[in-house]
Every structure is written in C-alpha cells, then in structure tokens.
C-alpha cells in the first residue's frame, strides 16, 4: 500500500460541514441506486468515495452538483437546503468545482484559451481574471504548452487543465471524478501531489474524489466512504477502513 500522508488525522480540529446529504434515496427505472445515504463533507478535508461499478459514486456527485434530483432526502450546502437549486446556481452561490473523468475542455482551443473561455464567465474583472489564469498556469507548470490545442496535450496535461478550469472559481467544494483513470504511474503521483498541496494552500476547501484505484486514493484522503448495494457500508480514516470487516468482505477482499 502507498505511503499515507502524515498529516491526515484531524480529529483534534473542529469539523465544519460545508455540505450534507440527508436521507438521500434514488431509483432509476425501479432499480434502487441509493438507499438512505447520510454523510457530511467537512471544510479542509480530502474525502474519498469508493465502491464497485454501479454503486452510485458518480450519482452522488450528480446529486451534489444539481444534475440529478433525489427521489427523497435533502442536499444541504452551507446550511441552506439546496435540493431544488439548479446546477448553475449551486456553482455560483456555493462555489462548487467539478473535474470530470472525461473531457471538460474545448478540444480545438489552446490551453490558454480554454482557461480564458471559462474565466470570462465566472470572473468579471479583467485584471483579476488574467492574474488568476497566469497564476494557475505557473502553479501547474503549464507555461510551455499554454498555446497548444487541448486535443494535442498529453493525458496528464489535459487533467491538469481541467483541474485549473475547476479552480478558476476558487471553489469551496472540489469534486474530482475518477481523476486517476487511464493515467501512468508518474502522472498519478503528480496529481496526488497536486491534490495534497491544494489542501495545504486552501485549508477551507473540501476535496471529494470518486475513484476505483483504492490504494492511490487511500494514500491521500483524510476520510473515505465505501458504497455497496445502495448503502454506505463503511466510513472512516484509511487505517480504520482497511481493518473494517464489512469493507474487506464487500469491497477490498482478502488480498488487499
């Protein structure tokens, strides 16, 4: 198992929820996807969502963003019932950023123009927008490829671009869907460092990562939840999860 960051445990700090899912249930065509899901997302945490295919991880992201409305339950963001808020209002009012598993950029625009296109929507002040874009390009070491069209970037560079686009709005909640998918070992390590550094630089932001690669995820999160059979079957720190009998039986297996 990969090394776990040393500063993970934060029980001594006061936990401040930035979002809550309360009694969330959802079905598609009579097929139950989520059944009475309850959990908090706390300021300053990196939280992981694990589970087999079809467990409802991406569905939870869609509910948090407002793409899907649950059949039952509430989405509370910053102490506001946001269950009926549309996606654009949640993004603006509550500052929710999203890094999708695939796409999320304009293929025929350069890396710089991709950032400008999103920046013009969410940052009205020209000077502030240019400064934010320049800072992100420098932070993610993308200076040499800023004029390259997105479709010609490497997988890691495209993933960096999409993270930059999500960070332009200075989000309080950053949702990352399968961020390590189809990437090589070095690129995955680079992205893990980026996420851990973001937590240090933005201590009030909550980062939520939905991922299949359990070892990579557990090496950087403070807390993780495992979904199986429509429910949360285990929750806690990585050290706690890998010893949890439900997690072993229903997800990790005996050889993890």
């Amino acid at each position: 198992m990969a090394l776990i960051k040393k500063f993970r445990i934060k029980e001594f700090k006061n936990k401040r929820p930035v979002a809550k899912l309360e009694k969330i249930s959802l079905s598609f065509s009579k097929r139950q996807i989520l059944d009475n899901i309850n959990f908090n997302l706390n300021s300053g945490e990196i939280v992981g969502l694990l589970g087999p295919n079809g467990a409802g991880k991406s569905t939870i992201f869609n509910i948090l963003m407002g793409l899907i409305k649950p059949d039952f339950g509430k989405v509370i963001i910053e102490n506001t019932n946001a269950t009926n808020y549309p996606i654009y209002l949640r993004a603006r009012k509550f500052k929710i950023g999203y890094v999708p598993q695939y796409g999320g950029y304009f293929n025929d625009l350069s890396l710089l123009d991709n950032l400008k296109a999103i920046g013009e929507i969410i940052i009205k002040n020209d000077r502030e927008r240019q400064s934010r874009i320049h800072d992100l390009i420098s932070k993610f070491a993308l200076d040499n490829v800023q004029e390259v069209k997105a479709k010609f970037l490497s997988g890691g560079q495209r993933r960096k671009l999409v993270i930059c686009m999500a960070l332009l709005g200075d989000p309080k909640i950053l949702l990352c869907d399968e961020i390590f998918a189809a990437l090589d070992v070095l690129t995955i390590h680079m992205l893990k460092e980026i996420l851990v550094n973001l937590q240090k630089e933005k201590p009030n932001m909550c980062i939520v990562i939905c991922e299949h690669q359990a070892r990579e995820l557990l090496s950087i999160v403070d807390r993780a939840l495992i979904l199986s059979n429509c429910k949360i079957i285990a929750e806690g720190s990585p050290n706690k999860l890998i010893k949890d009998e439900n997690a072993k039986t229903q997800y990790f297996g005996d050889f993890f």
Side-chain angles (χ1 to χ4, degrees):
M1 184 174 173
L3 290 175
I4 296 174
K5 62 182 185 181
K6 295 179 181 179
F7 54 88
R8 170 182 296 112
I9 303 302
K10 298 183 176 180
E11 275 83 4
F12 61 91
K13 294 187 178 181
N14 292 324
K15 293 180 179 178
R16 185 180 72 82
V18 291
K20 302 179 184 179
L21 293 189
E22 295 184 352
K23 300 180 179 179
I24 295 292
S25 294
L26 179 71
S27 298
F28 291 142
S29 301
K30 298 182 180 181
R31 176 176 172 248
Q32 189 87 39
I33 305 297
L34 301 172
D35 182 15
N36 195 31
I37 297 296
N38 297 275
F39 67 85
N40 292 353
L41 297 176
N42 298 313
S43 176
E45 278 190 317
I46 299 181
V47 181
L49 294 181
L50 290 166
N53 287 327
K57 302 183 298 296
S58 295
T59 301
I60 285 176
F61 271 21
N62 290 334
I63 289 173
L64 280 166
M65 289 188 295
L67 282 171
I68 297 175
K69 184 177 178 181
D71 298 330
F72 186 82
K74 293 188 292 186
V75 180
I76 309 295
I77 307 176
E78 293 287 352
N79 296 317
T80 300
N81 186 347
T83 310
N84 295 315
Y85 281 35
I87 183 171
Y88 75 91
L89 190 54
R90 292 195 201 189
R92 287 183 179 178
K93 182 177 177 65
F94 303 116
K95 292 192 172 184
I96 298 177
Y98 177 55
V99 180
Q101 179 180 359
Y102 302 110
Y105 51 83
F106 302 101
N107 269 302
D108 286 317
L109 291 184
S110 70
L111 183 147
L112 178 60
D113 286 340
N114 265 280
L115 291 170
K116 286 181 177 179
I118 301 303
E120 287 173 2
I121 297 172
I122 59 179
I123 306 173
K124 300 305 179 184
N125 183 280
D126 287 344
R127 184 174 294 179
E128 180 187 352
R129 181 171 61 249
Q130 291 174 17
S131 176
R132 187 85 59 83
I133 289 172
H134 178 267
D135 288 347
L136 285 168
I137 287 175
S138 297
K139 181 190 292 290
F140 286 83
L142 294 169
D143 305 75
N144 293 335
V145 293
Q146 59 182 308
E147 299 298 339
V148 177
K149 287 187 177 182
K151 63 184 177 183
F152 297 127
L153 297 171
S154 69
Q157 289 166 343
R158 285 196 294 267
R159 205 61 55 90
K160 280 187 181 181
L161 167 60
V162 180
I163 294 173
C164 287
M165 293 166 76
L167 291 175
L168 271 174
D170 194 21
K172 294 180 180 178
I173 302 173
L174 181 66
L175 305 174
C176 302
D177 194 0
E178 300 283 354
I179 196 171
F180 304 136
L183 295 176
D184 61 82
V185 173
L186 289 176
T187 302
I188 289 173
H189 182 75
M190 171 199 68
L191 289 175
K192 286 163 62 176
E193 285 188 334
I194 285 172
L195 293 170
V196 170
N197 287 333
L198 275 176
Q199 185 185 39
K200 294 178 182 177
E201 295 163 9
K202 297 181 178 293
N204 293 321
M205 181 170 65
C206 178
I207 302 173
V208 191
I209 308 170
C210 166
E211 186 55 61
H212 280 298
Q213 300 198 43
R215 285 180 173 82
E216 305 294 355
L217 183 71
L218 292 178
S219 69
I220 61 169
V221 298
D222 302 297
R223 179 168 57 98
L225 303 91
I226 299 177
L227 287 92
S228 184
N229 296 321
C230 313
K231 295 181 178 292
I232 295 173
I233 60 165
E235 178 181 358
S237 68
N239 285 330
K240 179 181 176 181
L241 279 184
I242 59 178
K243 298 172 185 175
D244 186 281
E245 288 303 320
N246 283 335
K248 286 182 180 180
T249 303
Q250 299 187 51
Y251 184 65
F252 292 129
D254 294 329
F255 303 104
F256 182 76

Short mmCIF file of all heavy atoms in Angstrom, two decimals, residues 25-34 59 68-69 71:
data_model
loop_
_atom_site.label_atom_id
_atom_site.label_comp_id
_atom_site.label_asym_id
_atom_site.label_seq_id
_atom_site.Cartn_x
_atom_site.Cartn_y
_atom_site.Cartn_z
N SER A 25 -32.24 9.07 -1.20
CA SER A 25 -32.60 7.83 -1.90
C SER A 25 -32.92 8.17 -3.35
O SER A 25 -33.46 9.23 -3.65
CB SER A 25 -33.81 7.16 -1.24
OG SER A 25 -33.50 6.72 0.07
N LEU A 26 -32.57 7.23 -4.24
CA LEU A 26 -32.79 7.45 -5.67
C LEU A 26 -32.92 6.12 -6.38
O LEU A 26 -32.18 5.17 -6.09
CB LEU A 26 -31.62 8.24 -6.27
CG LEU A 26 -31.67 8.53 -7.77
CD1 LEU A 26 -32.76 9.57 -8.07
CD2 LEU A 26 -30.32 9.01 -8.28
N SER A 27 -33.86 6.07 -7.33
CA SER A 27 -34.05 4.88 -8.17
C SER A 27 -34.11 5.31 -9.62
O SER A 27 -34.60 6.40 -9.95
CB SER A 27 -35.33 4.14 -7.80
OG SER A 27 -35.29 3.67 -6.47
N PHE A 28 -33.60 4.45 -10.51
CA PHE A 28 -33.73 4.64 -11.95
C PHE A 28 -34.51 3.45 -12.50
O PHE A 28 -34.07 2.30 -12.38
CB PHE A 28 -32.37 4.71 -12.64
CG PHE A 28 -31.57 5.94 -12.32
CD1 PHE A 28 -30.20 5.87 -12.15
CD2 PHE A 28 -32.18 7.18 -12.21
CE1 PHE A 28 -29.45 7.00 -11.87
CE2 PHE A 28 -31.45 8.32 -11.92
CZ PHE A 28 -30.08 8.22 -11.75
N SER A 29 -35.67 3.72 -13.12
CA SER A 29 -36.48 2.64 -13.71
C SER A 29 -36.67 1.48 -12.74
O SER A 29 -36.42 0.32 -13.06
CB SER A 29 -35.84 2.14 -15.02
OG SER A 29 -35.72 3.20 -15.94
N LYS A 30 -37.09 1.81 -11.54
CA LYS A 30 -37.39 0.84 -10.48
C LYS A 30 -36.15 0.13 -9.93
O LYS A 30 -36.26 -0.76 -9.10
CB LYS A 30 -38.40 -0.21 -10.96
CG LYS A 30 -39.75 0.38 -11.33
CD LYS A 30 -40.73 -0.70 -11.75
CE LYS A 30 -42.07 -0.10 -12.12
NZ LYS A 30 -43.05 -1.13 -12.52
N ARG A 31 -34.96 0.55 -10.40
CA ARG A 31 -33.72 -0.01 -9.86
C ARG A 31 -33.18 0.93 -8.81
O ARG A 31 -32.86 2.08 -9.10
CB ARG A 31 -32.69 -0.22 -10.96
CG ARG A 31 -31.35 -0.72 -10.44
CD ARG A 31 -30.38 -1.01 -11.58
NE ARG A 31 -29.06 -1.30 -11.05
CZ ARG A 31 -27.99 -0.51 -11.20
NH1 ARG A 31 -28.10 0.62 -11.87
NH2 ARG A 31 -26.82 -0.84 -10.70
N GLN A 32 -33.04 0.45 -7.58
CA GLN A 32 -32.54 1.28 -6.49
C GLN A 32 -31.05 1.55 -6.68
O GLN A 32 -30.25 0.63 -6.89
CB GLN A 32 -32.75 0.56 -5.15
CG GLN A 32 -32.46 1.43 -3.94
CD GLN A 32 -33.63 2.25 -3.49
OE1 GLN A 32 -34.77 1.79 -3.51
NE2 GLN A 32 -33.38 3.49 -3.08
N ILE A 33 -30.68 2.84 -6.64
CA ILE A 33 -29.29 3.24 -6.79
C ILE A 33 -28.71 3.66 -5.44
O ILE A 33 -27.62 3.23 -5.06
CB ILE A 33 -29.15 4.40 -7.79
CG1 ILE A 33 -29.77 4.03 -9.14
CG2 ILE A 33 -27.68 4.79 -7.95
CD1 ILE A 33 -29.10 2.86 -9.84
N LEU A 34 -29.44 4.49 -4.72
CA LEU A 34 -29.02 4.95 -3.39
C LEU A 34 -30.17 4.75 -2.42
O LEU A 34 -31.33 5.02 -2.75
CB LEU A 34 -28.62 6.44 -3.43
CG LEU A 34 -27.48 6.81 -4.39
CD1 LEU A 34 -27.33 8.34 -4.45
CD2 LEU A 34 -26.17 6.17 -3.95
N THR A 59 -23.27 9.09 -9.17
CA THR A 59 -24.62 9.60 -8.93
C THR A 59 -24.63 10.59 -7.77
O THR A 59 -25.32 11.61 -7.80
CB THR A 59 -25.59 8.44 -8.65
OG1 THR A 59 -25.59 7.54 -9.76
CG2 THR A 59 -27.00 8.95 -8.42
N ILE A 68 -28.92 15.85 -10.92
CA ILE A 68 -29.97 14.88 -10.61
C ILE A 68 -30.62 15.29 -9.30
O ILE A 68 -29.92 15.68 -8.35
CB ILE A 68 -29.40 13.45 -10.49
CG1 ILE A 68 -28.80 12.98 -11.81
CG2 ILE A 68 -30.48 12.47 -10.03
CD1 ILE A 68 -28.11 11.63 -11.72
N LYS A 69 -31.93 15.19 -9.24
CA LYS A 69 -32.65 15.44 -8.00
C LYS A 69 -33.03 14.10 -7.37
O LYS A 69 -33.55 13.21 -8.04
CB LYS A 69 -33.92 16.26 -8.27
CG LYS A 69 -34.67 16.65 -7.01
CD LYS A 69 -35.88 17.51 -7.33
CE LYS A 69 -36.65 17.85 -6.05
NZ LYS A 69 -37.85 18.67 -6.34
N ASP A 71 -34.98 11.17 -5.24
CA ASP A 71 -36.40 10.87 -5.01
C ASP A 71 -36.81 11.29 -3.60
O ASP A 71 -37.95 11.68 -3.36
CB ASP A 71 -36.65 9.36 -5.17
CG ASP A 71 -36.35 8.87 -6.57
OD1 ASP A 71 -36.49 9.67 -7.52
OD2 ASP A 71 -35.94 7.70 -6.72
#
